[in-house]
Amino acid sequence: MASRTDASPLAQTARTPDLLAQRFAATRRLSLDLVATLSDADASAQSMPDASPAKWHLAHTTWFFETFILRDHVPGYRAFDDRYAYLFNSYYEAEGPRHARPQRGLLTRPSLDDIGVWRAHVDTAVQTALPDLPPAAHMLIELGIQHEQQHQELLLTDLKHLFAQNPLGPAVWEKTAIASEVAPFSAMKWIEGHAGVTQVGHCGDGFAFDCEGPRHDTLLPPHALASRPVSNGEWQQFIADGGYHTPSLWLSDGWAWVQAENIDAPAYWDGDRQFTLSGWQDIDPAAPVTHISFFEADAFASWAGARLPTEFEWEAAAAMLDAASGQQLDSAGPVQPVAAVDDADLQQMFGSVWEWTGSAYRPYPGFRAAPGAVGEYNGKFMSGQFVLRGGSCATPRGHLRASYRNFFYPHQRWQFTGVRLAKDL
């Protein structure tokens, strides 16, 4: 999702204009709630090239609706500010030149308040036009909603990375702003997965991104999945056993990365503490480990005598589960993975942490990128990245499906990324 900021729809459930308007308003409101505690300086800073300022996320999602809904489908609409297209386009080559991604933090103007005025203008225009828009525009509004939900997760993870650079360890939200449960440590069990020919990929009438299809057959070998993600406590055992200093556990590129970056723990860890959106907190040994790279996930699996699941093994296991269940984003607050509180055979398949798979992010058989600017992004980035499944505590509830494919480069770990083990049978 950090890499995947724009995509095209594969399918769309028919929705009434009233329901679409309600979902549009709720999504736009949540984005504003996420920045309600920020100063203009907080919202303007950029901590690394992979991240974007909170203000930029608010502006880019607004540009999306203004460009692909109002400009393209509302006769006579005039852009709020013609300069914003250059500032807040992301990767759309068809939409012309854009401000360089690593320099987004230099955009001290327009201010956070200015962006808020623009958002209100665009929201009013979309809501006014929506009842009379054609079905194609309704599909684009749905795409825009899904797109903004992706940016809500990015906004949270980018804020966390930004605030972690401050030696004061400031909190975006105080810990009391969100309820948490203390769960007992859940023993890891092995759950036998489906073997043989199975169908994977999106099916049905609901929304999906183009990279989730076409649906197709795949062959799954006999295998088992761990009943839950790897925990912080288990990762501490990996560290204590010298996992970060044992080259035989690591892929060559991973070992080079560990050496070059002096990696010896998940991101945001410092001894027995970890940085969260509520500042520095004690590490909960029972909670899923997060902010690990593909390289780390693969090395841990080797240490544990296991492997990473394929994305299709994961999808087959998740297909009958409720994608709206688990720990996901419902409102603005200091999200952080917590230990599972149920005793299901497969726990935390949705929410909590994105789970690395061993599958390269490549097109499915028969994949074709959709025409036009909104179809640009997914297909052209199907190289050098790995698939993650399941969503995280920062993913807006209702955004996920069993077929949902997230993807990142193997060294990236500022998202809420974790790991579930698999083994051959």
Side-chain angles (χ1 to χ4, degrees), residues 24-70:
F24 172 79
T27 301
R28 300 287 282 172
R29 183 168 57 250
L30 177 56
S31 295
L32 294 180
D33 290 345
L34 292 174
V35 302
T37 65
L38 303 183
S39 68
D40 190 82
D42 293 334
S44 299
Q46 180 179 23
S47 55
M48 64 170 174
D50 283 337
S52 295
K55 182 174 67 179
W56 190 91
H57 289 295
L58 297 179
H60 170 66
T61 51
T62 301
W63 169 84
F64 183 99
F65 285 111
E66 184 174 61
T67 300
F68 298 118
I69 305 301
L70 300 177

Side-chain angles (χ1 to χ4, degrees), residues 229-230 235 238 243-244 249-251 254-255 257-258 263 265-267 289-309 353-359 386-388 409-413 417-422:
V230 171
W235 205 272
F238 172 69
Y244 282 96
L249 298 175
W250 295 79
L251 297 169
W255 184 246
W257 172 76
V258 164
I263 305 295
V289 68
T290 191
H291 299 298
I292 59 169
S293 68
F294 171 86
F295 292 140
E296 291 167 285
D298 186 82
F300 182 94
S302 295
W303 174 79
R307 62 172 174 82
L308 300 183
V353 293
W354 287 101
E355 299 179 8
W356 284 107
T357 74
S359 298
F386 284 84
V387 174
L388 300 98
Y409 290 102
H411 68 282
Q412 292 176 318
R413 59 180 191 159
T417 50
V419 59
R420 181 185 303 266
L421 298 177

Side-chain angles (χ1 to χ4, degrees), residues 103-393:
Q103 297 177 6
R104 290 172 184 170
L106 301 179
L107 299 176
T108 57
R109 306 289 178 88
S111 69
L112 181 59
D113 287 343
D114 292 336
I115 297 302
V117 172
W118 180 31
R119 282 180 68 90
H121 171 85
V122 168
D123 289 357
T124 298
V126 170
Q127 294 282 24
T128 299
L130 197 153
D132 299 319
L133 291 174
H138 287 176
M139 290 182 64
L140 286 169
I141 291 175
E142 177 63 35
L143 175 59
I145 290 170
Q146 301 285 335
H147 169 254
E148 184 144 352
Q149 288 176 328
Q150 290 179 320
H151 277 273
Q152 288 165 349
E153 179 159 7
L154 290 168
L155 193 156
L156 286 169
T157 51
D158 292 356
L159 275 178
K160 183 173 183 177
H161 190 271
L162 172 66
F163 276 51
Q165 311 313 306
N166 190 325
L168 299 178
V172 181
W173 291 275
E174 295 303 321
K175 190 175 184 180
T176 53
I178 187 171
S180 61
E181 296 185 68
V182 177
F185 196 92
S186 172
M188 182 184 290
K189 300 177 292 185
W190 289 105
I191 309 300
E192 187 172 350
H194 176 77
V197 176
T198 189
Q199 285 203 323
V200 294
H202 180 74
C203 65
D205 295 328
F207 177 91
F209 291 102
D210 58 358
C211 65
E212 297 175 50
R215 190 164 175 82
H216 62 284
D217 289 338
T218 191
L219 179 63
L220 300 181
H223 68 281
L225 296 180
S227 58
R228 57 162 174 79
V230 171
S231 69
N232 287 322
E234 288 157 343
W235 205 272
Q236 289 169 326
Q237 295 173 25
F238 172 69
I239 294 174
D241 197 42
Y244 282 96
H245 305 287
T246 307
S248 60
L249 298 175
W250 295 79
L251 297 169
S252 178
D253 287 348
W255 184 246
W257 172 76
V258 164
Q259 297 297 296
E261 302 295 330
N262 295 315
I263 305 295
D264 60 6
Y268 306 120
W269 279 32
D270 183 7
D272 294 330
R273 300 188 309 156
Q274 61 181 340
F275 187 79
T276 74
L277 288 163
S278 291
W280 287 98
Q281 305 289 339
D282 292 338
I283 293 173
D284 176 3
V289 68
T290 191
H291 299 298
I292 59 169
S293 68
F294 171 86
F295 292 140
E296 291 167 285
D298 186 82
F300 182 94
S302 295
W303 174 79
R307 62 172 174 82
L308 300 183
T310 70
E311 63 169 316
F312 302 135
E313 290 169 343
W314 190 99
E315 183 176 329
M320 301 304 293
L321 303 178
D322 181 7
S325 65
Q327 184 195 6
Q328 300 178 40
L329 181 67
D330 294 304
S331 59
V335 295
Q336 184 69 18
V338 297
V341 295
D342 61 55
D343 58 357
D345 285 344
L346 288 170
Q347 302 173 41
Q348 298 178 302
M349 289 289 282
F350 291 101
S352 297
V353 293
W354 287 101
E355 299 179 8
W356 284 107
T357 74
S359 298
Y361 178 57
R362 293 289 294 148
Y364 288 168
F367 171 81
R368 295 291 184 273
V374 295
E376 273 191 40
Y377 198 83
N378 272 335
K380 69 182 183 182
F381 279 89
M382 290 178 170
S383 174
Q385 305 193 65
F386 284 84
V387 174
L388 300 98
R389 294 296 193 118
S392 82
C393 55

